[in-house]
Amino acid sequence: DWSSDVCSSDLPLSFEDTYIQNALGDGWLARVGQWKSVFNYETFTSSRTQQFVERSLVNQYFTQQFIQGLFGGWEGETVRVFGCYNDGGGNSNIAEVQSNGNPTEWAGSARVDWKLDGAWGQFKDMQGWRGSPFAAMLGASFNWQRASGNPPSGRLSTGNGLIATDQATKANVNAPMTLLSYTADLNLRGDGWSFWTAFLGNLVYNGDRTAEAMGVENAVSYGTVVQGGVFVSDSLELIARYEGLWVSSNMPFTTKYGPNALNAQTLNILTVGANWYLDRKSTRLN
């Protein structure tokens, strides 16, 4: 990924999917390296098959982004399961060198998908193309990680224990904390229509006195995304999306404690639009 804003990161070139993977037979696979987390459906679905110009803001709040570690999985006719030991959500990029500190003490995640009908390949696209058969899938996932509270300067994030504070001085506080993220989603596809919805949550706990004093101990975040589309012709699709975010914590939004992902806050967004597909390959069913 070639960055257009080198000044903000000092990294003109960064890596995304960089891994070695081996098919072990009978549906099993093993992987080592860096890849996009399979925590939530909206993230691991390719950007070229998204219905909107960008993924939802709720997705950006909960997503794990790219991670590094060891990964294993199994895919059968109706069920697939994935699990990994990794360096923590939002922490990775092998172009960055850890000069000091550790992003996380430990992190692990897992996901299971249950295909109720249709083919796995139908869920690689968010669209329900005209002429495609009905498909349905349920998914659930979690990510559990322990932030060390001593992140390298190039990997500052809440997942590493960062608590943004005084906006006047631009000071930040780091504190060890444990984060448990979880999600469940439902995907439906049909002849010319699509619908999917996801519920996401995150719990911050087991922090130190600093986290308690700043009001982020036991902070709870909930989010939801509801999205769908319908084709009114072979090439024109009408789309709509609702997303909501609710964060409950003892850290208010003030000059000292904001803006921050752990501020007590509520967000509601409705987006509508249309897509005109000039050309399309045949629907993938495998």
Side-chain angles (χ1 to χ4, degrees):
D1 178 37
W2 192 263
S3 175
S4 60
D5 189 7
V6 180
C7 295
S8 67
S9 63
D10 296 323
L11 294 171
L13 179 65
S14 60
F15 294 92
E16 293 189 345
D17 286 313
T18 309
Y19 58 82
I20 297 172
Q21 179 171 300
N22 186 32
L24 304 177
D26 295 326
W28 292 93
L29 65 87
R31 178 189 300 172
V32 60
Q34 175 174 291
W35 63 92
K36 184 181 288 186
S37 172
V38 296
F39 171 70
N40 60 315
Y41 174 75
E42 192 174 357
T43 290
F44 68 74
T45 302
S46 173
S47 58
R48 70 183 180 87
T49 68
Q50 298 285 324
Q51 289 175 303
F52 288 84
V53 70
E54 185 54 274
R55 295 176 176 90
S56 68
L57 291 177
V58 167
N59 174 80
Q60 296 301 100
Y61 185 94
F62 289 97
T63 184
Q64 306 301 309
Q65 297 290 359
F66 287 87
I67 55 177
Q68 299 170 12
L70 303 173
F71 176 94
W74 174 80
E75 181 177 303
E77 180 64 28
T78 59
V79 176
R80 59 187 182 189
V81 181
F82 305 106
C84 68
Y85 180 79
N86 59 79
D87 65 343
N91 303 324
S92 65
N93 193 310
I94 60 176
E96 298 178 354
V97 178
Q98 298 182 47
S99 57
N100 58 77
N102 298 300
T104 57
E105 294 181 8
W106 48 261
S109 58
R111 179 176 177 88
V112 57
D113 290 321
W114 179 25
K115 180 167 63 67
L116 305 174
D117 203 352
W120 290 119
Q122 290 179 261
F123 303 104
K124 294 179 181 179
D125 297 339
M126 285 192 165
Q127 298 80 359
W129 305 105
R130 280 192 168 186
S132 61
F134 177 74
M137 180 180 75
L138 286 170
S141 179
F142 77 87
N143 181 79
W144 194 22
Q145 65 188 61
R146 175 66 178 174
S148 65
N150 184 30
S153 58
R155 297 186 179 186
L156 297 176
S157 74
T158 304
N160 291 330
L162 172 73
I163 307 173
T165 56
D166 198 323
Q167 299 303 296
T169 62
K170 302 300 181 182
N172 293 314
V173 172
N174 293 310
M177 59 181 71
T178 302
L179 298 94
L180 175 61
S181 301
Y182 47 90
T183 182
D185 51 73
L186 169 66
N187 259 282
L188 302 175
R189 301 284 186 276
D191 182 4
W193 62 273
S194 64
F195 172 86
W196 72 270
T197 183
F199 171 81
L200 306 100
N202 182 71
L203 170 65
V204 177
Y205 70 100
N206 198 23
D208 61 4
R209 292 183 178 179
T210 300
E212 293 178 355
M214 297 183 68
V216 300
E217 178 71 1
N218 296 320
V220 180
S221 306
Y222 299 114
T224 187
V225 180
V226 182
Q227 181 174 315
V230 59
F231 281 87
V232 295
S233 71
D234 288 342
S235 59
L236 182 61
E237 179 190 34
L238 304 181
I239 53 176
R241 177 172 68 198
Y242 165 76
E243 51 187 302
L245 173 67
W246 302 269
V247 181
S248 176
S249 76
N250 292 320
M251 175 184 277
F253 182 87
T254 63
T255 302
K256 184 176 182 180
Y257 294 129
N260 191 303
L262 298 177
N263 293 138
Q265 57 190 291
T266 300
L267 174 73
N268 290 280
I269 299 177
L270 177 63
T271 310
V272 296
N275 293 316
W276 180 25
Y277 299 94
L278 303 179
D279 188 21
R280 182 180 70 83
K281 301 293 184 181
S282 60
T283 304
R284 295 171 294 182
L285 296 179
N286 297 320

